Amino acid sequence: MTRRARPRLHCAACGRTTKPGKYRRCTGGCGALLCRARHIPLCTDLHAGQCPNYEPLEAPA
């Protein structure tokens, strides 16, 4: 019996492949996988505009 390769995980913001355990989940609660790579802009910032659960903070008056 041969082992099947698991499908690659992709970052929801930039589309890069991520290794198992080398990603973080969206803090907005949508559950998207975001890579931890150090590139500009960071995927956590980039995904905020794509996340359906994102609620921007109101600016202080």
Side-chain angles (χ1 to χ4, degrees):
M1 189 165 158
T2 59
R3 296 176 64 183
R4 288 187 179 203
R6 290 185 178 173
R8 297 266 176 151
L9 302 173
H10 294 275
C11 176
C14 68
R16 294 181 185 190
T17 58
T18 59
K19 295 179 181 178
K22 297 293 181 183
Y23 58 85
R24 62 180 64 164
R25 296 267 182 188
C26 174
T27 57
C30 72
L33 301 177
L34 303 171
C35 69
R36 292 185 179 178
R38 294 283 181 194
H39 53 273
I40 305 294
L42 294 175
C43 289
T44 51
D45 298 336
L46 186 64
H47 179 69
Q50 303 168 353
C51 182
N53 298 339
Y54 176 69
E55 296 178 10
L57 299 173
E58 295 183 17

